[in-house]
Amino acid sequence: ATGTNRHTVQSAIDSYLKSKRAATAEIHLTDHPLSSIKLDDLTPSDVRGWLDDLVTATKDKERRRQYQATANRRRTSLFAALNFAVKHEMTENIRFRIVKPFPKVEAHVFRFLSVKEATAFLGACVPGQLRDLCEAALVTGGRLEELVALRVKDFTEGHLVALFSNKTNSVRTVGLNDQGKALFKRCTQGKKPS
């Protein structure tokens, strides 16, 4: 460390953000007391307090999980800035590293529509391309980007649909139930593979 104890958490963040690697960092320290703490004086309690402050109080468990997951991502960015400060000899203080993220908050709780809910959902859709898209989502589990990218050639006689995902840059094949087979037969009827 420089020994002058002049660097603050905010100056470490500013230095980090000026580096090429930090173009997308989300740290959010605006008006938080943590920003003005000297790096050499930073304690795990300071960091934990900031992390806890990022989580909006709510009784809704799913919303709380979402807030904590967001806080964990921001913690990662803050730690990157603090590690950058250590690497660039702005401080030797590494006590912040003992602050752990909120546990078990990254896994989203999946909920599937019941047959009754799916039927009601499709019943509320106006017949046409939007309803077909909604039904395709229900029978394949495909994302919107995967479904709108489908071509006639992606539906095979073996009643499989090949979905391409930009997110994972991969193709996955989905087997269709009778409802899915009927939908894709109707949607591709009379059309040439493209």
Side-chain angles (χ1 to χ4, degrees):
T2 60
T4 62
N5 198 19
R6 62 186 171 87
H7 295 288
T8 64
V9 172
Q10 188 62 55
S11 66
I13 290 169
D14 293 342
S15 295
Y16 175 66
L17 292 176
K18 286 178 188 171
S19 74
K20 273 196 307 193
R21 299 171 303 173
T24 60
E26 263 190 90
I27 301 177
H28 298 277
L29 275 184
T30 311
D31 298 325
H32 195 279
L34 185 70
S35 65
S36 61
I37 295 175
K38 304 281 187 206
L39 289 175
D40 291 345
D41 298 334
L42 185 64
T43 67
S45 295
D46 296 327
V47 177
R48 175 50 66 187
W50 168 77
L51 195 61
D52 289 341
D53 288 347
L54 291 174
V55 179
T56 304
T58 179
K59 292 180 180 178
D60 183 308
K61 287 181 182 179
E62 177 58 13
R63 296 289 286 179
R64 182 170 177 77
R65 183 203 64 77
Q66 291 170 351
Y67 290 140
Q68 289 176 331
T70 299
N72 282 351
R73 287 188 291 280
R74 291 179 178 163
R75 173 196 166 275
T76 299
S77 295
L78 174 65
F79 276 35
L82 295 174
N83 282 319
F84 179 89
V86 171
K87 181 179 178 183
H88 290 86
E89 299 180 349
M90 296 170 73
T91 187
E92 292 177 353
N93 181 359
I94 60 170
R95 292 176 293 174
F96 66 90
R97 291 179 181 167
I98 69 168
V99 178
K100 301 297 180 204
F102 292 105
K104 300 178 183 176
V105 296
E106 294 303 325
H108 179 70
V109 178
F110 290 100
R111 181 187 161 315
F112 295 95
L113 295 179
S114 68
V115 172
K116 184 178 177 181
E117 290 169 323
T119 302
F121 171 67
L122 290 176
C125 294
V126 176
Q129 289 181 338
L130 180 60
R131 186 187 188 287
D132 292 343
L133 182 65
C134 292
E135 188 173 356
L138 288 171
V139 298
T140 65
R143 295 180 180 94
L144 178 62
E145 71 168 19
E146 295 171 326
L147 297 172
V148 297
L150 282 173
R151 301 289 174 255
V152 172
K153 67 179 181 177
D154 297 325
F155 173 65
T156 67
E157 289 302 316
H159 306 297
L160 300 171
V161 173
L163 299 174
F164 176 77
S165 172
N166 282 330
K167 185 174 181 179
T168 60
N169 200 27
S170 62
V171 175
R172 63 186 174 97
T173 305
V174 178
L176 299 172
N177 61 15
D178 290 341
Q179 180 183 356
K181 291 173 190 175
L183 168 70
F184 281 93
K185 275 186 180 178
R186 183 173 47 78
C187 289
T188 59
Q189 190 173 15
K191 297 179 180 174
K192 295 181 180 179
S194 57

